[in-house]
Amino acid sequence: MDHSSSGGETGLHARVLDELGTAVCGGELPAGSVLNIDELVDRHAVSRSVIREVLRVLASMGLIETRRRVGVLIRPAEAWNVFDPQVIRWRLASAGRMAQLRSITELRTAVEPHAAWLAARRISPDDASDLVGIAAKMWAAGQAGDEDRFLRLDIEFHRRVLAASGNEMFGKLRELVAEVLTGRHHYHLMPHHPDQQALQLHADVASALQRRDGEAARRAMVQIMEQAFDEMKSMWEQTTEPNPVG
């Protein structure tokens, strides 16, 4: 979803949107805080029209609301559109990134194994063959320590499995998966060299889909998710942030 405005103010709009979104999602502007438009104009050195457009976008994400005789109010986290990729990005940029990683990984654990099971019934032979090729390229990138290429291939792999499920709602989750994989990479919350088992499990998913073995595909995807949790838990223990895993 493109939240930027048109014309020469696009860059200013994007900067202010990013700054305010990060401040809200990071708790710097807590729920119940009231924003003053004139103060925002002065603080960010932009026009009222830019601030109004930014506030319109934040309202569409559920982060703020305008109340008569009160003004622009920061809404509580439960009101946010937590599926918006930009909200996810801001939450990953905050001190609470581990909780965001946990919640998305829990969602992926619920959805992606079943998506793989459905894909075994619905994927075309050509798409299954492509997926085998992507898994092989992931292996090569992982062995070479090419983190950027591995990330691109990992995102593409999971995007294709979600799409191959034939469920359009599962397919829309590809943006969330891309954000969380990119966030883990950006904040150094992934191993420098992908685990051999993780590489093998992606190959196992692709091979199972090619054989139309839904149960094997589901099992391998569950293991991919479990391994992601294990990797993140070891990193949670190295941070000062409380471990959110109960």
Side-chain angles (χ1 to χ4, degrees):
M1 181 176 177
D2 183 7
H3 294 303
S4 62
S5 62
S6 59
E9 293 186 327
T10 300
L12 291 173
H13 171 273
R15 172 178 64 79
V16 178
L17 179 63
D18 203 46
E19 288 173 3
L20 278 177
T22 302
V24 174
C25 291
E28 185 185 326
L29 292 172
S33 301
V34 177
L35 300 178
N36 179 285
I37 291 178
D38 290 329
E39 286 178 8
L40 292 174
V41 166
D42 290 342
R43 186 185 314 153
H44 296 280
V46 293
S47 66
R48 289 178 70 87
S49 64
V50 167
I51 293 298
R52 289 191 183 282
E53 176 62 14
V54 166
L55 294 178
R56 186 192 64 75
V57 174
L58 293 175
S60 76
M61 298 173 172
L63 271 62
I64 64 168
E65 64 179 323
T66 302
R67 287 191 186 171
R68 288 185 64 188
R69 295 200 276 286
V70 175
V72 180
L73 199 66
I74 306 296
R75 301 183 74 192
E78 55 266 26
W80 303 347
N81 177 8
V82 294
F83 286 91
D84 189 297
Q86 211 154 359
V87 173
I88 291 168
R89 201 173 310 142
W90 292 331
R91 292 179 73 190
L92 287 173
S94 77
R97 73 175 55 96
M98 296 300 185
Q100 172 70 113
L101 285 170
R102 178 195 181 194
S103 62
I104 296 185
T105 305
E106 287 175 345
L107 177 67
R108 293 182 66 197
T109 301
V111 170
E112 290 197 63
H114 194 65
W117 183 83
L118 288 171
R121 300 162 57 190
R122 297 171 176 172
I123 196 168
S124 71
D126 283 349
D127 286 346
S129 179
D130 287 347
L131 208 57
V132 170
I134 291 170
K137 289 174 184 174
M138 286 178 69
W139 192 289
Q143 293 292 321
D146 188 341
E147 295 180 37
D148 290 339
R149 185 160 188 259
F150 182 84
L151 173 65
R152 288 194 300 272
L153 290 165
D154 198 13
I155 290 170
E156 181 66 9
F157 184 93
H158 289 279
R159 183 192 72 77
R160 287 187 179 235
V161 172
L162 288 166
S165 73
N167 181 305
E168 78 285 0
M169 298 186 84
F170 284 4
K172 286 294 285 183
L173 295 177
R174 66 187 180 275
E175 294 181 40
L176 279 74
V177 173
E179 288 296 341
V180 76
L181 290 174
T182 302
R184 286 190 65 195
H185 176 78
H186 182 74
Y187 295 106
H188 309 294
L189 297 169
M190 294 185 87
H192 288 300
H193 289 273
D195 186 89
Q196 293 282 336
Q197 186 190 12
L199 295 169
Q200 183 59 56
L201 287 169
H202 283 78
D204 290 348
V205 169
S207 174
L209 293 184
Q210 201 168 40
R211 300 193 312 272
R212 300 202 173 277
D213 186 340
E215 188 51 37
R218 187 194 67 78
R219 260 195 327 268
M221 190 65 86
V222 166
Q223 288 181 272
I224 289 172
M225 297 300 126
E226 287 175 346
Q227 185 169 58
F229 258 124
D230 288 343
E231 287 171 356
M232 285 187 285
K233 276 196 286 188
S234 69
M235 291 169 187
W236 281 324
E237 287 158 8
Q238 296 167 25
T239 69
T240 55
E241 185 177 335
N243 188 337
V245 174

